[in-house]
Amino acid sequence: MTSLAIATALAPAAVDAAIRTSALTKVYGSRRVVDRADLVVPRGSISGFVGPNGAGKTTTLRMLLGLVRPTEGGGEVLGGSLDEPRGYLPRVGSLIEGPAFYPTLSGRSNLRVLATLGGFAKARVEEVLEIVELRDRAGDHYRTYSLGMKQRLGVAAALLPQPELLVLDEPTNGLDPGGIIETRALLRRFREQGMTVFVSSHLLSELEQVADWLVLIDKGRLAYQGPIGDLVDRSKATLLVAGESAADLEVIAAVARRLGHGATVVDSHVRIDDASVAAELNRAAMNAGVTLTELTVQRASLEESFLAVTGGLQS
């Protein structure tokens, strides 16, 4: 797809960006919550925004949406300056820190109120209810909704302006596995329609399946940004090896160590710390009288790569 090709081929400075910041900083008292962040979010992409708790993600999103003023630095959203958010906010939809609706109104009535306040066509209410699959419960009071339904109604509200950029903070919060899969499909559909999606999430395994680009901050500072696959590729792949019998495992491990690589026997396999040794290991094992029955390369997951970058902190 175009956005992924752009993100993979170009350095961040050359990317056609929906969001670009320069030395974006927010200070509260003596605490630098966001520290000189140069963020890039490619147009037409699904970009994940991750970091440990307290890393500055929500503060960054609030600055992008004009809810908090930067202490230093600046940037652009959809070509408009952060100093003038009213210039770009009509083209942005957002769901930050959970949706807020009138509990005694129905889901449909809540959206109609927002449509009236925002000057959106009333017909758009039914369209977004259909998109998030809430038409069947649209007439029920908001207070009767499950947490997952409330999240979906929040996404519906964010879609009312038919945005070019959709900013979502934990959109899968409270969803069951089926709802998470539906949300994943929904985000892909938005991307196919040319929308840019910037999504903060703790579910790194979900981002790995749907995102093109990743922005990772730690202690307010940018720790990584770029194609999501590049971060995973930074972690060295390991090798899982098996022989014809359990007795072969210690022989395989000894052969790997003689070749200068770490090797650990794990259940019915030997885990070797460098996948590039596969061919050499196969030859050496054969010379030692062992036939290998399995050689499997294991690459790090996004979660493992994230923990490596952030020093093991949990997101």
Side-chain angles (χ1 to χ4, degrees), residues 5-113:
I6 291 173
T8 302
L10 299 178
V15 169
D16 179 18
I19 299 171
R20 187 185 300 277
T21 69
S22 177
L24 188 65
T25 301
K26 184 61 184 178
V27 178
Y28 289 109
S30 61
R31 190 164 62 99
R32 297 177 76 87
V33 179
V34 179
D35 190 2
R36 300 185 61 80
D38 297 335
L39 307 183
V40 174
V41 174
R43 287 184 185 269
S45 69
I46 299 175
S47 292
F49 191 30
V50 299
N53 287 329
K57 298 188 299 296
T58 298
T59 299
T60 300
L61 296 180
R62 291 173 69 84
M63 285 192 284
L64 295 175
L65 295 171
L67 301 173
V68 172
R69 293 183 63 85
T71 304
E72 300 171 14
E76 293 184 345
V77 175
L78 299 177
S81 171
L82 288 185
D83 294 332
E84 297 291 339
R86 284 181 291 183
Y88 60 78
L89 285 179
R91 295 177 288 150
V92 178
S94 64
L95 172 60
I96 305 295
E97 294 186 324
F101 294 103
Y102 295 106
T104 57
L105 294 183
S106 69
R108 178 180 284 111
S109 294
N110 267 292
L111 291 180
R112 285 177 174 170
V113 169

Side-chain angles (χ1 to χ4, degrees), residues 33-249:
V33 179
V34 179
D35 190 2
R36 300 185 61 80
D38 297 335
L39 307 183
V40 174
V41 174
R43 287 184 185 269
S45 69
I46 299 175
S47 292
F49 191 30
V50 299
N53 287 329
K57 298 188 299 296
T58 298
T59 299
T60 300
L61 296 180
R62 291 173 69 84
M63 285 192 284
L64 295 175
L65 295 171
L67 301 173
V68 172
R69 293 183 63 85
T71 304
E72 300 171 14
E76 293 184 345
V77 175
L78 299 177
S81 171
L82 288 185
D83 294 332
E84 297 291 339
R86 284 181 291 183
Y88 60 78
L89 285 179
R91 295 177 288 150
V92 178
S94 64
L95 172 60
I96 305 295
E97 294 186 324
F101 294 103
Y102 295 106
T104 57
L105 294 183
S106 69
R108 178 180 284 111
S109 294
N110 267 292
L111 291 180
R112 285 177 174 170
V113 169
L114 293 176
T116 299
L117 293 173
F120 310 128
K122 292 292 179 66
R124 184 63 180 161
V125 170
E126 298 305 316
E127 292 174 2
V128 297
L129 284 170
E130 186 70 33
I131 289 171
V132 301
E133 299 184 346
L134 272 179
R135 287 286 294 274
D136 291 345
R137 295 289 305 274
D140 296 347
H141 285 178
Y142 175 77
R143 66 186 177 192
T144 68
Y145 283 8
S146 66
L147 180 56
M149 291 172 64
K150 290 175 180 178
Q151 286 293 107
R152 284 154 62 191
L153 191 67
V155 173
L159 292 173
L160 282 172
Q162 295 184 289
E164 296 176 37
L165 170 66
L166 185 62
V167 179
L168 302 175
D169 190 9
E170 302 291 344
T172 55
N173 183 33
L175 297 184
D176 59 21
I180 291 173
I181 292 172
E182 291 170 2
T183 300
R184 190 193 310 158
L186 193 62
L187 296 183
R188 288 187 179 124
R189 193 187 319 157
F190 294 155
R191 178 179 58 196
E192 290 167 2
Q193 295 169 353
M195 191 185 301
T196 303
V197 182
F198 191 37
V199 53
S200 169
S201 178
H202 283 80
L203 298 180
L204 300 184
S205 59
E206 285 303 312
L207 285 179
E208 190 168 17
Q209 295 186 60
V210 75
D212 310 317
W213 189 269
L214 192 73
V215 177
L216 194 165
I217 63 171
D218 186 20
K219 300 181 180 68
R221 295 186 176 184
L222 185 67
Y224 172 83
Q225 69 180 351
I228 197 165
D230 285 5
L231 178 61
V232 174
D233 288 345
R234 284 185 177 187
S235 299
K236 184 183 291 186
T238 59
L239 196 65
L240 277 185
V241 185
E244 292 181 304
S245 69
D248 290 338
L249 298 181

